Amino acid sequence: MNITIPDEILTSAKMSEDDIKLELAILLYQQKKISTGQARRLAGMHLIQFQKEMSKRGVCVNYDVEDFQADIETLKRLGEYRSRGSRGDRFSN
């Protein structure tokens, strides 16, 4: 679905297309209509970036199962995920 917002509205509101997406994402998230993952994708942001933006606005950040699973997948892709047995190796001298 595409939504067209007239340029004069964006100009009058002093907002960009990205600003509108972020505002909509935060609004829908606050109303519990979409998850954090869906909201950050709508806003076009990485999870941490989106959470920081919500924090700046005083919006409570909920960390749900979808977010946790997404974080695990990201860590696996980056090669930083370690099993419990090898986690301590990162901190040894």
Side-chain angles (χ1 to χ4, degrees):
M1 175 172 111
N2 291 318
I3 299 173
T4 303
I5 300 173
D7 288 338
E8 70 253 16
I9 298 293
L10 293 176
T11 301
S12 166
K14 297 183 175 128
M15 296 178 81
S16 68
E17 182 179 335
D18 288 341
D19 294 335
I20 295 289
K21 287 178 184 179
L22 177 59
E23 293 299 325
L24 180 59
I26 290 174
L27 176 68
L28 293 173
Y29 176 79
Q30 283 181 302
Q31 294 177 352
K32 299 184 191 268
K33 295 187 185 265
I34 60 176
S35 69
T36 307
Q38 291 169 318
R40 67 120 187 126
R41 283 190 294 277
L42 175 59
M45 299 177 144
H46 293 286
L47 180 60
I48 299 299
Q49 200 179 10
F50 184 70
Q51 288 175 334
K52 283 182 182 178
E53 186 62 38
M54 290 195 309
S55 178
K56 279 195 267 184
R57 296 162 181 251
V59 176
C60 180
V61 177
N62 298 316
Y63 191 75
D64 58 21
V65 173
E66 180 186 340
D67 298 326
F68 176 72
Q69 290 171 337
D71 286 347
I72 294 295
E73 290 306 312
T74 298
L75 290 172
K76 285 179 182 177
R77 278 195 312 274
L78 295 174
E80 296 177 12
Y81 184 76
R82 307 227 192 287
S83 67
R84 284 188 168 189
S86 64
R87 278 179 37 195
D89 296 343
R90 294 177 63 196
F91 302 104
S92 60
N93 293 337

Coordinates of all heavy atoms in Angstrom, one line a residue:
M1 N 0.8 -1.2 0.0 CA 0.0 0.0 0.0 C 0.9 1.2 0.0 O 1.9 1.3 0.7 CB -0.9 0.0 1.3 CG -1.7 1.3 1.4 SD -2.9 1.1 2.7 CE -2.2 2.2 3.9
N2 N 0.5 2.2 -0.8 CA 1.2 3.5 -0.8 C 0.3 4.6 -0.3 O -0.9 4.6 -0.6 CB 1.7 3.8 -2.2 CG 2.8 2.8 -2.7 OD1 3.7 2.5 -1.9 ND2 2.7 2.4 -3.9
I3 N 0.9 5.5 0.4 CA 0.1 6.6 0.9 C 0.8 7.9 0.3 O 2.1 8.0 0.4 CB 0.1 6.7 2.4 CG1 -0.5 5.5 3.0 CG2 -0.5 8.0 2.9 CD1 -0.4 5.4 4.5
T4 N 0.1 8.7 -0.3 CA 0.6 10.0 -0.8 C 0.3 11.1 0.1 O -0.9 11.4 0.5 CB 0.0 10.3 -2.2 OG1 0.3 9.1 -3.0 CG2 0.6 11.5 -2.8
I5 N 1.4 11.8 0.5 CA 1.2 13.0 1.4 C 1.7 14.2 0.5 O 2.8 14.2 0.1 CB 2.0 12.9 2.7 CG1 1.6 11.7 3.5 CG2 1.9 14.1 3.5 CD1 2.4 11.3 4.7
P6 N 0.8 15.1 0.3 CA 1.1 16.3 -0.5 C 2.4 17.0 0.0 O 2.5 17.1 1.3 CB -0.1 17.2 -0.5 CG -1.2 16.2 -0.1 CD -0.6 15.2 0.8
D7 N 3.2 17.5 -0.9 CA 4.4 18.2 -0.5 C 4.1 19.4 0.4 O 4.9 19.7 1.3 CB 5.2 18.7 -1.7 CG 5.8 17.5 -2.5 OD1 6.1 16.5 -1.8 OD2 6.1 17.7 -3.7
E8 N 3.0 20.1 0.2 CA 2.7 21.3 1.0 C 2.4 20.9 2.4 O 2.7 21.7 3.3 CB 1.5 22.1 0.4 CG 0.2 21.4 0.6 CD -0.4 20.9 -0.8 OE1 0.3 20.8 -1.7 OE2 -1.6 20.6 -0.8
I9 N 1.9 19.7 2.7 CA 1.7 19.2 4.1 C 3.1 19.0 4.7 O 3.3 19.4 5.8 CB 0.9 17.9 4.1 CG1 -0.5 18.1 3.5 CG2 0.9 17.3 5.5 CD1 -1.4 19.0 4.3
L10 N 4.0 18.3 4.0 CA 5.3 18.0 4.5 C 6.1 19.4 4.8 O 6.7 19.5 5.8 CB 6.1 17.2 3.5 CG 5.7 15.7 3.4 CD1 6.5 15.0 2.3 CD2 5.7 15.0 4.7
T11 N 5.9 20.3 3.8 CA 6.6 21.6 4.0 C 6.0 22.3 5.2 O 6.8 22.9 6.0 CB 6.4 22.4 2.7 OG1 7.0 21.7 1.6 CG2 7.1 23.8 2.8
S12 N 4.7 22.4 5.3 CA 4.0 23.1 6.4 C 4.4 22.4 7.7 O 4.6 23.2 8.7 CB 2.5 23.0 6.2 OG 1.8 23.3 7.3
A13 N 4.5 21.1 7.8 CA 4.9 20.4 9.0 C 6.4 20.4 9.3 O 6.8 20.0 10.3 CB 4.4 19.0 9.0
K14 N 7.1 20.9 8.3 CA 8.6 20.9 8.4 C 9.1 19.5 8.6 O 9.9 19.2 9.5 CB 9.1 21.9 9.4 CG 8.8 23.3 9.1 CD 9.3 24.2 10.1 CE 9.1 25.6 9.6 NZ 8.4 26.5 10.4
M15 N 8.6 18.5 7.9 CA 8.9 17.1 8.0 C 9.3 16.5 6.7 O 8.7 16.9 5.7 CB 7.8 16.3 8.6 CG 7.4 16.8 10.0 SD 6.0 15.8 10.7 CE 6.8 14.4 11.3
S16 N 10.2 15.5 6.8 CA 10.6 14.8 5.6 C 9.8 13.5 5.5 O 9.1 13.1 6.5 CB 12.1 14.5 5.6 OG 12.3 13.5 6.6
E17 N 9.9 12.8 4.4 CA 9.3 11.5 4.3 C 9.8 10.5 5.4 O 9.0 9.8 6.0 CB 9.6 10.9 2.9 CG 8.9 9.5 2.7 CD 9.2 9.0 1.3 OE1 9.5 9.7 0.4 OE2 9.2 7.7 1.2
D18 N 11.1 10.6 5.7 CA 11.6 9.7 6.8 C 11.0 10.1 8.2 O 10.8 9.3 9.0 CB 13.1 9.8 6.8 CG 13.8 9.1 5.6 OD1 13.1 8.2 5.0 OD2 15.0 9.4 5.4
D19 N 10.9 11.4 8.4 CA 10.3 11.9 9.6 C 8.8 11.3 9.8 O 8.5 10.9 10.9 CB 10.2 13.4 9.7 CG 11.5 14.1 9.7 OD1 12.5 13.5 10.2 OD2 11.6 15.3 9.3
I20 N 8.1 11.4 8.7 CA 6.7 10.9 8.8 C 6.7 9.4 9.1 O 5.9 8.9 9.9 CB 6.0 11.1 7.4 CG1 5.8 12.6 7.2 CG2 4.6 10.4 7.4 CD1 4.8 13.3 8.1
K21 N 7.6 8.6 8.4 CA 7.7 7.2 8.7 C 8.0 6.9 10.1 O 7.4 6.0 10.7 CB 8.7 6.5 7.8 CG 8.3 6.4 6.3 CD 9.4 5.8 5.5 CE 9.1 5.8 4.0 NZ 10.2 5.2 3.3
L22 N 9.0 7.7 10.7 CA 9.3 7.5 12.1 C 8.2 7.8 13.0 O 7.9 7.0 13.9 CB 10.5 8.3 12.4 CG 11.0 8.3 13.9 CD1 11.4 6.9 14.3 CD2 12.2 9.3 14.1
E23 N 7.5 8.9 12.8 CA 6.4 9.2 13.6 C 5.3 8.2 13.6 O 4.7 7.8 14.6 CB 5.8 10.6 13.2 CG 6.7 11.8 13.4 CD 7.1 12.0 14.9 OE1 6.2 11.7 15.8 OE2 8.2 12.4 15.1
L24 N 5.0 7.7 12.4 CA 3.9 6.6 12.2 C 4.4 5.4 12.9 O 3.6 4.7 13.6 CB 3.7 6.4 10.7 CG 2.6 5.3 10.4 CD1 1.3 5.6 11.1 CD2 2.5 5.1 8.9
A25 N 5.6 5.0 12.8 CA 6.2 3.8 13.4 C 6.0 3.9 14.9 O 5.6 2.9 15.6 CB 7.6 3.6 13.0
I26 N 6.4 5.0 15.5 CA 6.4 5.2 17.0 C 4.9 5.2 17.4 O 4.6 4.6 18.4 CB 7.1 6.4 17.4 CG1 8.6 6.2 17.2 CG2 6.8 6.8 18.8 CD1 9.5 7.4 17.4
L27 N 4.0 5.9 16.7 CA 2.6 5.9 17.1 C 2.0 4.5 17.1 O 1.4 4.1 18.1 CB 1.9 6.8 16.1 CG 0.3 6.9 16.3 CD1 0.0 7.6 17.7 CD2 -0.3 7.6 15.2
L28 N 2.2 3.8 16.0 CA 1.7 2.4 15.9 C 2.3 1.5 17.0 O 1.6 0.7 17.6 CB 1.9 1.8 14.5 CG 1.1 2.5 13.4 CD1 1.5 2.0 12.1 CD2 -0.4 2.4 13.6
Y29 N 3.6 1.7 17.3 CA 4.2 0.9 18.3 C 3.6 1.2 19.7 O 3.3 0.3 20.5 CB 5.7 1.1 18.4 CG 6.4 0.4 19.5 CD1 6.7 -0.9 19.4 CD2 6.8 1.1 20.6 CE1 7.3 -1.6 20.4 CE2 7.4 0.4 21.7 CZ 7.6 -0.9 21.6 OH 8.2 -1.6 22.6
Q30 N 3.4 2.5 20.0 CA 2.9 2.9 21.3 C 1.4 2.4 21.5 O 1.0 2.1 22.6 CB 2.8 4.5 21.4 CG 4.1 5.1 21.7 CD 4.0 6.6 21.8 OE1 3.6 7.3 20.8 NE2 4.4 7.1 22.9
Q31 N 0.7 2.3 20.4 CA -0.7 1.8 20.4 C -0.7 0.2 20.4 O -1.8 -0.4 20.4 CB -1.5 2.3 19.3 CG -1.7 3.8 19.3 CD -2.4 4.4 18.1 OE1 -2.7 3.7 17.1 NE2 -2.8 5.6 18.2
K32 N 0.5 -0.4 20.4 CA 0.7 -1.8 20.4 C 0.0 -2.5 19.2 O -0.5 -3.6 19.3 CB 0.1 -2.4 21.7 CG 0.9 -1.9 23.0 CD 0.4 -2.6 24.2 CE 1.0 -1.9 25.4 NZ 2.1 -2.2 26.1
K33 N 0.0 -1.8 18.1 CA -0.5 -2.3 16.9 C 0.5 -3.0 16.1 O 0.2 -3.9 15.2 CB -1.2 -1.2 16.0 CG -2.4 -0.6 16.7 CD -3.1 0.4 15.9 CE -4.2 1.0 16.6 NZ -5.5 0.4 16.5
I34 N 1.8 -2.7 16.3 CA 2.9 -3.4 15.6 C 4.1 -3.6 16.6 O 4.1 -2.9 17.7 CB 3.5 -2.5 14.4 CG1 4.0 -1.2 14.8 CG2 2.4 -2.4 13.3 CD1 4.7 -0.4 13.7
S35 N 4.9 -4.6 16.3 CA 6.0 -4.9 17.2 C 7.2 -4.0 17.0 O 7.2 -3.1 16.1 CB 6.5 -6.3 16.9 OG 7.1 -6.4 15.6
T36 N 8.2 -4.1 17.9 CA 9.3 -3.2 17.8 C 10.0 -3.5 16.4 O 10.5 -2.5 15.8 CB 10.3 -3.5 18.9 OG1 9.7 -3.4 20.1 CG2 11.5 -2.6 18.9
G37 N 10.1 -4.8 16.1 CA 10.8 -5.1 14.8 C 10.0 -4.5 13.6 O 10.7 -4.0 12.7
Q38 N 8.7 -4.6 13.6 CA 7.9 -4.0 12.5 C 8.1 -2.5 12.5 O 8.2 -1.9 11.4 CB 6.5 -4.4 12.7 CG 6.2 -5.8 12.4 CD 4.8 -6.2 12.8 OE1 4.3 -5.8 13.9 NE2 4.1 -7.0 12.0
A39 N 8.1 -1.9 13.7 CA 8.2 -0.4 13.8 C 9.6 0.1 13.3 O 9.6 1.0 12.5 CB 8.0 0.0 15.2
R40 N 10.6 -0.6 13.7 CA 11.9 -0.2 13.2 C 12.1 -0.3 11.7 O 12.8 0.5 11.1 CB 13.0 -0.8 14.0 CG 13.2 -2.3 13.8 CD 14.6 -2.6 13.3 NE 14.6 -4.0 12.9 CZ 15.0 -4.4 11.7 NH1 15.3 -3.6 10.8 NH2 15.1 -5.7 11.5
R41 N 11.5 -1.4 11.2 CA 11.6 -1.6 9.7 C 10.8 -0.5 9.0 O 11.2 0.1 8.0 CB 11.0 -3.0 9.3 CG 12.0 -4.1 9.6 CD 11.6 -5.4 9.0 NE 10.4 -6.0 9.6 CZ 10.4 -6.7 10.7 NH1 11.5 -6.9 11.4 NH2 9.2 -7.2 11.1
L42 N 9.6 -0.1 9.5 CA 8.8 1.0 8.9 C 9.6 2.3 9.0 O 9.6 3.0 8.0 CB 7.5 1.1 9.7 CG 6.6 2.3 9.3 CD1 6.3 2.2 7.8 CD2 5.4 2.3 10.1
A43 N 10.3 2.5 10.1 CA 11.1 3.7 10.2 C 12.4 3.7 9.4 O 13.1 4.7 9.3 CB 11.4 4.0 11.7
G44 N 12.8 2.5 9.0 CA 14.0 2.3 8.2 C 15.3 2.4 9.1 O 16.3 3.0 8.6
M45 N 15.2 1.9 10.3 CA 16.3 2.0 11.2 C 16.7 0.7 11.8 O 15.9 -0.3 11.7 CB 15.8 2.9 12.4 CG 15.5 4.3 12.1 SD 14.9 5.1 13.7 CE 15.5 6.7 13.4
H46 N 17.9 0.6 12.2 CA 18.4 -0.6 13.0 C 17.7 -0.5 14.3 O 17.3 0.5 14.8 CB 19.9 -0.5 13.1 CG 20.6 -0.7 11.9 ND1 20.7 -1.9 11.2 CD2 21.3 0.2 11.1 CE1 21.4 -1.7 10.1 NE2 21.7 -0.4 10.0
L47 N 17.6 -1.7 15.0 CA 16.9 -1.8 16.2 C 17.4 -0.8 17.3 O 16.6 -0.1 17.9 CB 16.9 -3.2 16.8 CG 16.2 -3.5 18.1 CD1 14.7 -3.2 18.0 CD2 16.4 -4.9 18.5
I48 N 18.7 -0.8 17.5 CA 19.3 0.1 18.5 C 19.0 1.5 18.2 O 18.6 2.3 19.1 CB 20.8 -0.2 18.7 CG1 21.1 -1.6 19.1 CG2 21.4 0.8 19.7 CD1 20.5 -2.1 20.4
Q49 N 19.1 1.9 17.0 CA 18.8 3.3 16.5 C 17.4 3.6 16.9 O 17.1 4.7 17.4 CB 19.1 3.3 15.0 CG 19.3 4.6 14.4 CD 19.5 4.4 12.9 OE1 19.4 3.4 12.3 NE2 20.0 5.5 12.3
F50 N 16.5 2.7 16.6 CA 15.0 3.0 16.8 C 14.8 3.0 18.3 O 14.0 3.9 18.8 CB 14.2 1.9 16.2 CG 12.7 2.1 16.3 CD1 12.1 3.1 15.6 CD2 12.0 1.3 17.1 CE1 10.7 3.3 15.8 CE2 10.6 1.5 17.3 CZ 10.0 2.5 16.6
Q51 N 15.4 2.2 19.1 CA 15.2 2.2 20.5 C 15.7 3.5 21.1 O 15.1 4.1 22.1 CB 15.9 1.0 21.2 CG 15.1 -0.3 20.9 CD 15.8 -1.5 21.4 OE1 17.1 -1.5 21.6 NE2 15.1 -2.6 21.7
K52 N 16.9 4.0 20.6 CA 17.4 5.3 21.1 C 16.4 6.4 20.8 O 16.2 7.3 21.7 CB 18.8 5.5 20.5 CG 19.9 4.7 21.1 CD 21.2 5.1 20.5 CE 22.3 4.2 21.1 NZ 23.6 4.5 20.4
E53 N 15.9 6.4 19.6 CA 14.9 7.4 19.3 C 13.7 7.4 20.2 O 13.2 8.4 20.6 CB 14.5 7.2 17.8 CG 13.6 8.3 17.3 CD 14.2 9.7 17.3 OE1 15.5 9.8 17.0 OE2 13.5 10.7 17.6
M54 N 13.2 6.2 20.5 CA 12.0 6.1 21.4 C 12.4 6.5 22.8 O 11.6 7.2 23.4 CB 11.5 4.6 21.4 CG 10.8 4.3 20.1 SD 9.8 2.8 20.2 CE 10.9 1.6 20.9
S55 N 13.6 6.2 23.2 CA 14.1 6.6 24.5 C 14.1 8.1 24.6 O 13.7 8.7 25.7 CB 15.4 6.0 24.8 OG 15.9 6.4 26.1
K56 N 14.6 8.8 23.6 CA 14.7 10.2 23.6 C 13.3 10.9 23.8 O 13.2 11.9 24.3 CB 15.3 10.8 22.3 CG 16.7 10.7 22.1 CD 17.2 11.6 21.0 CE 17.3 10.7 19.7 NZ 17.9 11.5 18.6
R57 N 12.3 10.2 23.3 CA 10.9 10.7 23.4 C 10.2 10.2 24.6 O 9.0 10.5 24.8 CB 10.1 10.2 22.1 CG 10.7 10.8 20.8 CD 10.2 10.0 19.7 NE 10.7 10.5 18.4 CZ 10.0 11.1 17.5 NH1 8.7 11.3 17.7 NH2 10.6 11.5 16.4
G58 N 10.9 9.4 25.4 CA 10.2 8.9 26.7 C 9.3 7.7 26.4 O 8.4 7.5 27.3
V59 N 9.4 7.1 25.3 CA 8.5 5.9 25.0 C 9.2 4.7 25.6 O 10.3 4.4 25.4 CB 8.4 5.8 23.4 CG1 7.6 4.5 23.1 CG2 7.8 7.0 22.8
C60 N 8.4 3.9 26.3 CA 8.8 2.7 26.9 C 9.2 1.7 25.8 O 8.4 1.5 24.9 CB 7.7 2.1 27.8 SG 8.2 0.6 28.6
V61 N 10.4 1.1 25.9 CA 10.9 0.2 25.0 C 10.6 -1.2 25.5 O 11.1 -1.6 26.5 CB 12.4 0.3 24.7 CG1 12.9 -0.7 23.8 CG2 12.7 1.7 24.2
N62 N 9.8 -1.9 24.7 CA 9.4 -3.3 25.0 C 10.4 -4.2 24.2 O 10.5 -4.0 23.0 CB 8.0 -3.6 24.7 CG 7.0 -2.8 25.5 OD1 7.2 -2.6 26.7 ND2 6.0 -2.3 24.9
Y63 N 11.0 -5.2 24.8 CA 11.9 -6.1 24.2 C 11.2 -7.4 24.1 O 11.1 -8.1 25.1 CB 13.2 -6.2 24.9 CG 14.3 -6.9 24.2 CD1 15.0 -6.3 23.1 CD2 14.7 -8.2 24.5 CE1 16.0 -6.9 22.5 CE2 15.7 -8.8 23.9 CZ 16.4 -8.2 22.8 OH 17.4 -8.8 22.2
D64 N 10.7 -7.8 22.9 CA 9.9 -9.0 22.8 C 10.7 -10.1 22.2 O 11.8 -10.0 21.9 CB 8.6 -8.7 22.0 CG 8.8 -8.2 20.6 OD1 9.9 -8.4 20.1 OD2 7.9 -7.6 20.0
V65 N 10.0 -11.3 22.1 CA 10.7 -12.5 21.6 C 11.2 -12.3 20.2 O 12.3 -12.7 19.8 CB 9.7 -13.7 21.6 CG1 10.3 -14.9 21.0 CG2 9.4 -14.0 23.1
E66 N 10.4 -11.6 19.3 CA 10.8 -11.3 17.9 C 12.1 -10.5 17.9 O 13.0 -10.8 17.2 CB 9.7 -10.6 17.2 CG 10.1 -10.2 15.8 CD 9.1 -9.4 15.1 OE1 7.9 -9.3 15.5 OE2 9.5 -8.7 14.0
D67 N 12.2 -9.5 18.8 CA 13.4 -8.7 18.9 C 14.6 -9.6 19.4 O 15.7 -9.5 18.8 CB 13.3 -7.6 19.9 CG 12.2 -6.6 19.4 OD1 12.0 -6.4 18.2 OD2 11.5 -6.1 20.3
F68 N 14.4 -10.4 20.3 CA 15.5 -11.3 20.8 C 16.0 -12.2 19.7 O 17.2 -12.4 19.5 CB 15.0 -12.1 22.0 CG 16.0 -13.1 22.6 CD1 17.1 -12.7 23.2 CD2 15.8 -14.5 22.4 CE1 18.0 -13.6 23.7 CE2 16.7 -15.4 22.8 CZ 17.8 -15.0 23.5
Q69 N 15.1 -12.8 19.0 CA 15.4 -13.8 17.9 C 16.2 -13.0 16.8 O 17.2 -13.5 16.3 CB 14.2 -14.5 17.4 CG 13.6 -15.5 18.4 CD 12.3 -16.0 17.9 OE1 11.6 -15.4 17.2 NE2 12.0 -17.2 18.5
A70 N 15.7 -11.8 16.5 CA 16.4 -11.0 15.5 C 17.8 -10.7 16.0 O 18.8 -10.7 15.2 CB 15.6 -9.7 15.2
D71 N 18.0 -10.4 17.3 CA 19.4 -10.1 17.8 C 20.3 -11.3 17.7 O 21.4 -11.2 17.3 CB 19.3 -9.6 19.2 CG 18.8 -8.2 19.3 OD1 18.7 -7.5 18.3 OD2 18.4 -7.8 20.5
I72 N 19.7 -12.5 18.0 CA 20.5 -13.7 18.0 C 21.0 -14.0 16.5 O 22.1 -14.3 16.3 CB 19.7 -14.9 18.5 CG1 19.5 -14.8 20.0 CG2 20.4 -16.2 18.2 CD1 20.8 -14.8 20.9
E73 N 20.0 -13.8 15.6 CA 20.4 -14.0 14.2 C 21.5 -13.0 13.7 O 22.4 -13.4 13.0 CB 19.1 -13.9 13.3 CG 18.2 -15.1 13.5 CD 18.8 -16.4 13.3 OE1 19.6 -16.6 12.3 OE2 18.6 -17.3 14.1
T74 N 21.4 -11.8 14.1 CA 22.4 -10.8 13.8 C 23.7 -11.2 14.3 O 24.7 -11.1 13.6 CB 21.9 -9.4 14.3 OG1 20.7 -9.0 13.7 CG2 23.0 -8.3 14.0
L75 N 23.7 -11.6 15.6 CA 25.0 -12.0 16.2 C 25.6 -13.2 15.5 O 26.8 -13.2 15.3 CB 24.8 -12.3 17.7 CG 24.5 -11.1 18.6 CD1 24.1 -11.5 20.0 CD2 25.7 -10.1 18.6
K76 N 24.8 -14.1 15.1 CA 25.3 -15.3 14.4 C 25.9 -14.9 13.1 O 27.0 -15.3 12.7 CB 24.1 -16.3 14.1 CG 23.7 -17.1 15.4 CD 22.6 -18.0 15.0 CE 22.1 -18.8 16.2 NZ 21.0 -19.7 15.9
R77 N 25.2 -14.0 12.3 CA 25.7 -13.5 11.1 C 27.1 -12.8 11.2 O 27.9 -12.9 10.4 CB 24.7 -12.6 10.4 CG 23.6 -13.3 9.6 CD 22.9 -12.4 8.7 NE 22.5 -11.1 9.3 CZ 21.3 -10.9 9.9 NH1 20.5 -11.9 10.1 NH2 21.0 -9.7 10.4
L78 N 27.2 -12.1 12.3 CA 28.4 -11.3 12.6 C 29.5 -12.2 13.1 O 30.6 -11.7 13.3 CB 28.1 -10.1 13.5 CG 27.2 -9.1 12.9 CD1 26.9 -8.0 14.0 CD2 27.8 -8.4 11.7
G79 N 29.2 -13.4 13.5 CA 30.2 -14.3 14.0 C 30.5 -14.0 15.5 O 31.6 -14.5 16.0
E80 N 29.7 -13.3 16.2 CA 30.0 -12.9 17.5 C 29.2 -13.8 18.6 O 29.5 -13.7 19.7 CB 29.6 -11.5 17.8 CG 30.4 -10.5 17.0 CD 30.0 -9.1 17.2 OE1 29.2 -8.8 18.1 OE2 30.4 -8.3 16.4
Y81 N 28.4 -14.7 18.1 CA 27.6 -15.5 19.0 C 28.5 -16.7 19.5 O 29.2 -17.3 18.7 CB 26.4 -16.1 18.2 CG 25.5 -16.9 19.1 CD1 24.7 -16.3 20.1 CD2 25.5 -18.3 19.0 CE1 23.9 -17.1 20.9 CE2 24.7 -19.1 19.9 CZ 23.9 -18.4 20.8 OH 23.1 -19.2 21.6
R82 N 28.6 -16.9 20.7 CA 29.4 -17.9 21.3 C 28.5 -18.8 22.2 O 27.6 -18.3 22.8 CB 30.5 -17.3 22.2 CG 31.3 -16.2 21.5 CD 32.8 -16.5 21.7 NE 33.6 -15.4 21.3 CZ 33.9 -15.1 20.0 NH1 33.4 -15.7 19.1 NH2 34.7 -14.1 19.8
S83 N 28.9 -20.0 22.2 CA 28.1 -20.9 23.1 C 28.5 -20.6 24.6 O 29.5 -19.9 24.8 CB 28.5 -22.4 22.9 OG 29.8 -22.6 23.2
R84 N 27.7 -21.0 25.5 CA 28.0 -20.7 26.9 C 29.4 -21.1 27.4 O 30.1 -20.4 28.1 CB 27.0 -21.4 27.8 CG 25.7 -20.7 27.8 CD 24.8 -21.3 28.8 NE 23.6 -20.4 29.0 CZ 22.7 -20.5 29.9 NH1 22.8 -21.4 30.8 NH2 21.7 -19.7 30.0
G85 N 29.9 -22.2 26.9 CA 31.2 -22.7 27.3 C 32.3 -21.9 26.8 O 33.4 -21.8 27.5
S86 N 32.2 -21.1 25.7 CA 33.3 -20.3 25.2 C 33.1 -18.8 25.5 O 34.0 -18.1 25.2 CB 33.4 -20.5 23.7 OG 32.3 -20.1 23.0
R87 N 32.0 -18.4 26.1 CA 31.8 -17.0 26.4 C 32.9 -16.4 27.3 O 33.4 -15.3 27.1 CB 30.5 -16.8 27.1 CG 29.4 -16.7 26.0 CD 28.0 -16.5 26.6 NE 28.0 -15.6 27.7 CZ 26.9 -15.5 28.5 NH1 25.9 -16.3 28.3 NH2 26.9 -14.7 29.5
G88 N 33.4 -17.2 28.2 CA 34.4 -16.7 29.2 C 35.7 -16.5 28.5 O 36.5 -15.7 29.0
D89 N 36.0 -17.1 27.3 CA 37.2 -16.9 26.6 C 37.4 -15.5 26.2 O 38.6 -15.1 26.1 CB 37.3 -17.8 25.4 CG 37.3 -19.3 25.8 OD1 37.5 -19.6 27.0 OD2 37.0 -20.1 24.9
R90 N 36.4 -14.8 26.0 CA 36.5 -13.4 25.5 C 37.1 -12.5 26.6 O 37.7 -11.5 26.3 CB 35.1 -12.9 25.1 CG 34.6 -13.5 23.9 CD 33.2 -13.0 23.6 NE 33.3 -11.6 23.3 CZ 32.2 -10.8 23.2 NH1 31.0 -11.3 23.6 NH2 32.3 -9.6 22.9
F91 N 37.0 -12.9 27.9 CA 37.3 -12.1 28.9 C 38.6 -12.5 29.7 O 39.0 -11.9 30.6 CB 36.2 -11.9 30.0 CG 34.9 -11.4 29.3 CD1 33.9 -12.2 29.0 CD2 34.9 -10.1 29.0 CE1 32.7 -11.7 28.4 CE2 33.7 -9.6 28.4 CZ 32.7 -10.4 28.1
S92 N 39.2 -13.6 29.2 CA 40.4 -14.1 29.9 C 41.6 -13.3 29.5 O 41.7 -12.8 28.4 CB 40.6 -15.6 29.6 OG 40.7 -15.8 28.2
N93 N 42.6 -13.3 30.3 CA 43.9 -12.5 30.0 C 44.8 -13.4 29.3 O 45.1 -14.4 29.5 CB 44.5 -12.0 31.3 CG 43.6 -10.9 31.9 OD1 42.8 -10.3 31.2 ND2 43.7 -10.7 33.2

